[in-house]
Amino acid sequence: MVGCADEYPQSSINPHTDFAEVIHSLYVSIFWWTMLIMAVVWILLAWVLVKYRRKSEDEQPRQIRGHLGMEIAWTVGPALIVIAIAIPTIQAVFATQRPVSDDAMVVEVTGHQFWWEFHYPEQGITTANELWLPVDRPVNLRLASNDVIHSFWVPKLGGKRDLNPVPAVREGQDPKYNWLYFTPQQTGVYMGQCAEFCGQSHALMAMRVIVESDEGFDDWVDRWFASEGAAAPEVQEEAEDEAELQMAGVVQEEEGTGVQVAEDEDPLVAMGRDAFLNATCIACHAVEGTSAQGIIAPNLTLFGARKTLGAGIMENNQENLVRWIIDPQGIKAAAAMPGTDYAGGNWPATGLSDEEVGAIAAYLLSLK
Ligand code: CUA
């Protein structure tokens, strides 16, 4: 009964792409064939039970040893059933492996223990855990892994398809990738999950796919490049003289702290930016338009626009983010991020104070 509902976030019987529809129609047709076989078996069983039931106390059923007709029937019957299932299955395999159309948008998906990286070569964007796609435009996902095998699975959109580590190749040869090609047919938010056991926190490697209208997607791209640049004093410093900016009232120095605060900016956010950019955070994380350009951990540009945290495992809010920065490995075993008082991912403890953690969280949540 539970399986019959179609409004679950990760339902595979509620397809929203051409790819998922191929899988779904295969599933539905095989389902009805098995229903037909079940009906035939049950009717035969009922008929045998009635016809050959014991009619008197001393009656013995007729004893049969070896029956050529039956032997042939139960060999040929299942063989025909397997063939009947194989034909549409092979058709579906070819349909979901077909060549990509030229107008497809490429997104390079990289699996990490335990998060997702999405790189858009066309737009020059690298983001994490929340994949934005425009509706009705074919997308071609290039799947690879940074460590062990992961598997991309967003049941309403398509998959599962593995993300394999890409072995080094000789010069002039192309590395071999898995590709996943589909066209989202409806705007919405789709939940996905790593579907290949990849270590301690495999179960905590979720993702969200946000399918937007063309305008919504373009707006996201625009916001991506405008996000920090507009508000961050660091960037303005590059263009103009700091003292000039201070005179013009665009940035002011907060008394005694040395922290640059842009006009109309929450001092906590400014303090968080300062703490973030001066901590080891930036060795691994990037924020577009700032000096944070780390590439080995999730890119945090527009982080405040993300609805979830830690690869889809919890709501993205101040309270959870503070918990995460203090103790990521307590929330997600074997996460590569160091905590405030323990090392992680070859980096020492961050040693951030509670005040700094709160400010950094406020800063990251302001990025939207
Ligand atoms: Cu990644 Cu399981």
Side-chain angles (χ1 to χ4, degrees):
M1 291 295 287
V2 167
C4 293
D6 67 354
E7 268 315 316
Y8 284 106
Q10 295 196 161
S11 169
S12 60
I13 57 170
N14 191 357
H16 284 84
T17 64
D18 47 347
F19 184 110
E21 248 164 27
V22 169
I23 307 282
H24 179 63
S25 63
L26 176 65
Y27 168 73
V28 168
S29 72
I30 290 177
F31 173 81
W32 286 115
W33 282 111
T34 54
M35 286 295 112
L36 179 69
I37 292 165
M38 188 177 75
V40 169
V41 169
W42 281 13
I43 289 165
L44 277 176
L45 180 65
W47 176 71
V48 167
L49 285 176
V50 171
K51 182 162 163 59
Y52 295 102
R53 72 188 189 280
R54 199 178 193 191
K55 291 176 187 92
S56 64
E57 276 297 306
D58 52 355
E59 189 190 340
Q60 285 289 323
R62 189 157 62 92
Q63 303 297 305
I64 303 170
R65 186 160 294 138
H67 188 292
L68 187 63
M70 275 163 70
E71 299 266 6
I72 290 172
W74 68 51
T75 307
V76 172
L80 289 177
I81 292 170
V82 170
I83 290 169
I85 291 173
I87 290 170
T89 302
I90 291 168
Q91 283 173 338
V93 168
F94 279 92
T96 55
Q97 297 274 1
R98 71 193 185 288
V100 172
S101 75
D102 288 337
D103 62 337
M105 185 176 82
V106 173
V107 180
E108 295 169 8
V109 182
T110 307
H112 296 258
Q113 284 172 314
F114 302 90
W115 58 281
W116 302 89
E117 180 178 334
F118 304 114
H119 176 63
Y120 300 69
E122 195 182 306
Q123 289 81 6
I125 287 176
T126 303
T127 185
N129 300 328
E130 297 198 355
L131 173 65
W132 285 66
L133 297 174
V135 73
D136 290 332
R137 175 157 180 208
V139 61
N140 196 18
L141 304 179
R142 193 193 80 173
L143 309 174
S145 170
N146 188 51
D147 33 58
V148 299
I149 301 173
H150 305 271
S151 185
F152 182 97
W153 190 39
V154 183
K156 288 183 179 178
L157 301 183
K160 313 156 180 171
R161 195 155 285 167
D162 282 0
L163 292 83
N164 297 318
V166 181
V169 291
R170 286 206 196 89
E171 239 186 298
Q173 281 182 325
D174 288 331
K176 236 178 135 23
Y177 293 99
N178 277 350
W179 295 83
L180 183 63
Y181 170 70
F182 59 73
T183 307
Q185 295 161 333
Q186 203 183 323
T187 57
V189 177
Y190 303 95
M191 311 303 245
Q193 170 71 43
C194 178
E196 177 70 48
F197 180 69
C198 54
Q200 265 174 295
S201 287
H202 156 68
L204 302 178
M205 186 170 168
M207 76 183 110
R208 286 156 39 97
V209 180
I210 295 110
V211 176
E212 267 285 358
S213 62
D214 278 346
E215 302 79 54
F217 180 77
D218 291 344
D219 176 58
W220 176 73
V221 173
D222 291 344
R223 278 191 293 138
W224 182 274
F225 291 107
S227 60
E228 251 300 294
E234 293 85 9
V235 176
Q236 290 168 341
E237 272 167 28
E238 284 171 14
E240 295 167 78
D241 184 34
E242 193 181 319
E244 235 173 75
L245 285 171
Q246 281 188 8
M247 258 165 33
V250 179
V251 292
Q252 300 144 16
E253 190 169 326
E254 235 201 329
E255 208 120 350
T257 60
V259 175
Q260 298 292 320
V261 185
E263 204 177 14
D264 301 331
E265 192 181 31
D266 183 348
L268 188 67
V269 168
M271 182 189 158
R273 177 191 301 112
D274 195 59
F276 178 81
L277 295 175
N278 286 299
T280 48
C281 310
I282 61 170
C284 306
H285 293 285
V287 174
E288 187 70 36
T290 73
S291 57
Q293 294 295 323
I295 55 164
I296 62 177
N299 187 306
L300 300 177
T301 310
L302 293 189
F303 181 84
R306 289 185 200 155
K307 295 282 182 290
T308 57
L309 166 65
I313 62 172
M314 57 212 274
E315 199 190 322
N316 190 17
N317 57 35
Q318 177 80 15
E319 188 190 341
N320 285 340
L321 187 51
V322 164
R323 269 179 63 208
W324 176 267
I325 297 170
I326 293 173
D327 183 20
Q329 294 169 24
I331 296 169
K332 192 173 195 170
M337 178 165 154
T340 51
D341 64 357
Y342 57 76
N346 295 328
W347 288 92
T350 59
L352 295 165
S353 69
D354 285 355
E355 198 193 5
E356 286 170 319
V357 169
I360 289 174
Y363 164 62
L364 293 175
L365 289 171
S366 78
L367 302 173
K368 43 182 142 184

